[in-house]
Amino acid sequence: MGLIEEIERITQERPEMRRFLTLTVDARAPASKERKHEYITDRWNALRTELRDRYPNLSYLWVRHEGDERDRPHLHLLVDRYLPQQELSRLSERVGLGSIVDIRRVDARNAAHYISAYLGRGALSFLPDGSRRYGSSADVDLDPRDPGGDDGGALEEEWSLVAWDPIVEGWVSSTSGDFRRNPDRPDPPPD
């Protein structure tokens, strides 16, 4: 939910982020799912370099989707400017992603919906370990762990670890050692 809220915040603050792109692994990708994800990551890095050379200061955010009906991983992006589809397809083909790149303009108010719709369908639940699930250009403050960025928009709360004590019938300070997953299981041996 934090990621969806962050995408919504960014698209409200940056209404120019309304071009929606889909980059899909093509037939040249390796067969295994894990290798396909490695491949799309590598090819996305190459395409980003190409785009940075041609479009200085391009702003974007992206979310990885596990795969389409043919089990091909893809990336969904929001970018801040018009990119000619023919040129984008040619660059994508050149770096090894394939020549078909879907790009469309979406309503600025609904841009977050387009990209976050893929998050609600289990899009991030079975990715290989270590795969980055989302990212953005350096000028986009995308941090789901700190909604609202550094502007103080995040609720500051103090937390303390307490436990209910039935003897004193009240909450008492505790330590992490007061809790175990299974009370019948002995504590693990010390390291």
Side-chain angles (χ1 to χ4, degrees):
M1 280 307 288
L3 180 57
I4 293 171
E5 290 171 3
E6 271 293 272
I7 293 169
E8 288 174 349
R9 179 190 62 79
I10 289 166
T11 56
Q12 285 176 358
E13 292 174 3
R14 311 250 330 246
E16 70 275 13
M17 303 278 291
R18 63 179 179 255
R19 271 67 174 206
F20 181 72
L21 282 71
T22 301
L23 304 171
T24 305
V25 167
D26 74 351
R28 291 179 279 189
S32 79
K33 191 172 196 172
E34 188 169 319
R35 298 277 308 177
K36 284 179 184 175
H37 281 285
E38 291 170 5
Y39 183 83
I40 197 169
T41 299
D42 184 55
R43 298 301 78 216
W44 164 236
N45 289 337
L47 182 60
R48 272 192 324 201
T49 300
E50 294 279 347
L51 292 172
R52 220 181 349 244
D53 290 346
R54 284 167 178 71
Y55 302 97
N57 304 315
L58 177 69
S59 296
Y60 58 85
L61 61 88
W62 60 268
V63 172
R64 182 187 304 257
H65 189 256
E66 282 185 84
D68 60 10
E69 62 281 349
R70 289 184 251 157
D71 207 26
R72 298 177 307 172
H74 47 280
L75 302 176
H76 298 288
L77 294 92
L78 288 174
V79 298
D80 69 342
R81 66 189 71 179
Y82 171 77
L83 301 172
Q85 198 280 333
Q86 264 189 334
E87 181 180 7
L88 194 55
S89 287
R90 184 179 52 75
L91 292 173
S92 179
E93 174 75 27
R94 188 162 103 192
V95 301
L97 273 173
S99 62
I100 300 173
V101 175
D102 183 51
I103 181 168
R104 62 186 71 181
R105 183 177 173 153
V106 294
D107 183 272
R109 291 179 328 193
N110 296 325
H113 166 75
Y114 284 99
I115 199 165
S116 63
Y118 296 95
L119 298 173
R121 297 186 206 165
L124 305 177
S125 55
F126 299 106
L127 292 177
D129 289 342
S131 295
R132 288 196 55 213
R133 299 169 184 318
Y134 57 87
S136 66
S137 54
D139 66 312
V140 175
D141 179 26
L142 177 64
D143 187 358
R145 296 166 303 219
D146 182 21
D150 297 328
D151 65 358
L155 180 62
E156 295 292 328
E157 295 181 3
E158 295 222 6
W159 290 80
S160 59
L161 190 58
V162 295
W164 180 260
D165 187 331
I167 295 173
V168 297
E169 295 183 352
W171 293 100
V172 296
S173 294
S174 62
T175 66
S176 60
D178 291 336
F179 301 95
R180 287 189 223 144
R181 288 186 187 152
N182 181 345
D184 297 328
R185 181 184 299 162
D187 287 334
D191 290 340

